[in-house]
Amino acid sequence: MPRPLPSAAAPFVCRFAPSPNGRLHLGHAFSALVNEAAARRMGGTFLLRMEDIDATRCRPDHEAAILQDLAWLGIAPDAPPRRQSEHFADYAAALERLSAMGLIYAAFESRADIARAVIAREAATGRPALRDPDGAPLFPFARSAMSEAERDARRAEGAPFVLRLDMAAALAAAEALPGGPLGWTEAQGVPEGPRAPVPADPTRWGDVVLARKDVPTSYHLSVVVDDAAQGITHVIRGMDLFHATSVHVLLQRLLGLPTPLYHHHRLIHDDSGRKLSKSNAATSLAALRAAGVRPQDIRARLQPTPST
Ligand code: GLU
């Protein structure tokens, strides 16, 4: 009798997705190392994605520097990077699908209009405005305040606009689709750690921006389209993006895309306890390298395993 074939191991595909708008710092290095180490432990695939939708801030020399920094650290992705700037047609198709469902609308309020409306409302109610998990006030205007015909006319006139997701309508549409309550599975401790269900709460973000006139997509939209296009099974990224996952699972449901498993790892802080940022040049890998720090010193300092 032929012996049964061993069952195929569950696929494991993860990615590191930096924006090439500056140099990598220790926080990026940690995220890349956690991803790569998990892929190697699981016999999986580690991919790279350049999140370069913003042509005014993302530059090819930054991308080259990121590739150089990763190579210096000894991190070797399993394929050349996917560049978001080469896939605007994919994001347009996703927007078109949401638009056909009646879930997005053009909004013409500038950042200053929004700030003024928020201040006026806070003064009138005596209460602080509702804020999203990143601390920005929720969009304070109602879709119903302007007809679709007027929105179309203003767009045709060339007025600057953003495309917003009608959050209430999107949730109602998602509820009518199969798949059960909206949420995701979070791997705890390490990417292959114990799993816990997390309910999604996308209303905390209000009517999020999915595209702009000048950049015809957004972080939220392109990340879900690309995770599906790259066949990502495990999204491994920093805790700072934990709440954004609520928006991502909503978009996945609406667009008929699979929801990967998520692992949000701890963040690396500087000596004074602040989150690292691209503006803090002292912790850039380039600066550390110039100061004589070696890749093995960085790996030892960050220790992506066993408990992230
Ligand atoms: N491009 C994002 C960043 O650099 C990461 C996106 C993600 O991992 O989902 O913060």
Side-chain angles (χ1 to χ4, degrees):
M1 237 177 50
R3 294 227 310 266
L5 289 169
S7 65
F12 188 104
V13 185
C14 61
R15 87 302 193 271
F16 174 57
S19 299
N21 55 14
R23 300 302 299 251
L24 294 187
H25 57 58
L26 281 176
H28 298 110
F30 181 66
S31 207
L33 286 168
V34 173
N35 269 281
E36 194 198 36
R40 301 299 167 243
R41 286 197 303 277
M42 304 301 287
T45 305
F46 169 57
L47 300 177
L48 187 58
R49 179 163 80 226
M50 291 294 162
E51 303 218 319
D52 60 349
I53 55 175
D54 184 350
T56 58
R57 296 175 64 221
C58 296
R59 301 197 321 235
D61 55 320
H62 287 315
E63 178 184 312
I66 287 173
L67 296 174
Q68 204 185 10
D69 284 344
L70 291 177
W72 175 71
L73 271 176
I75 295 177
D78 294 318
R82 175 180 168 102
R83 275 186 209 99
Q84 292 190 322
S85 58
E86 293 168 359
H87 296 277
F88 282 112
D90 297 355
Y91 314 133
L95 276 176
E96 192 45 51
R97 187 161 166 168
L98 296 171
S99 175
M101 295 167 84
L103 303 182
I104 53 180
Y105 63 96
F108 303 92
E109 293 82 2
S110 65
R111 287 199 175 91
D113 295 336
I114 294 171
R116 267 194 301 274
V118 167
I119 290 168
R121 185 171 303 178
E122 287 184 333
T125 61
R127 283 199 309 271
L130 287 177
R131 288 175 182 266
D132 72 23
D134 285 347
L138 298 194
F139 184 59
F141 301 100
R143 180 181 187 179
S144 56
M146 190 188 282
S147 70
E148 286 307 309
E150 192 176 340
R151 292 182 193 278
D152 289 347
R154 293 200 54 181
R155 257 177 95 166
E157 282 164 12
F161 67 91
V162 298
L163 294 180
R164 290 185 177 272
L165 182 70
D166 179 338
M167 185 56 79
L171 278 173
E175 255 169 46
L177 293 168
L182 211 55
W184 73 91
T185 302
E186 178 79 18
Q188 296 166 309
V190 285
E192 64 270 48
R195 298 173 177 194
V198 181
D201 189 7
T203 48
R204 290 184 64 192
W205 293 93
D207 288 1
V208 284
V209 172
L210 291 190
R212 300 179 184 279
K213 187 183 179 191
D214 51 340
V215 180
T217 184
S218 60
Y219 162 64
H220 292 310
L221 184 71
S222 39
V223 83
V224 301
V225 169
D226 287 343
D227 283 338
Q230 291 188 288
I232 302 300
T233 61
H234 290 64
V235 171
I236 302 168
R237 61 186 178 193
M239 203 59 200
D240 51 340
L241 291 169
F242 182 87
H243 292 293
T245 305
S246 283
V247 177
H248 300 172
V249 298
L250 172 62
L251 292 175
Q252 286 154 0
R253 178 72 60 90
L254 295 170
L255 292 168
L257 302 174
T259 291
L261 192 107
Y262 286 86
H263 170 66
H264 295 93
H265 59 67
R266 69 180 167 91
L267 299 177
I268 302 294
H269 294 100
D270 67 12
D271 292 339
S272 49
R274 278 187 307 263
K275 196 186 134 187
L276 300 182
S277 77
K278 287 200 167 119
S279 48
N280 184 349
T283 57
S284 79
L285 297 181
L288 294 168
R289 181 165 64 223
V293 176
R294 299 166 308 166
Q296 57 268 42
D297 302 328
I298 301 221
R299 282 176 176 264
R301 171 164 170 189
L302 296 177
Q303 287 190 356
T305 55
S307 177
T308 58

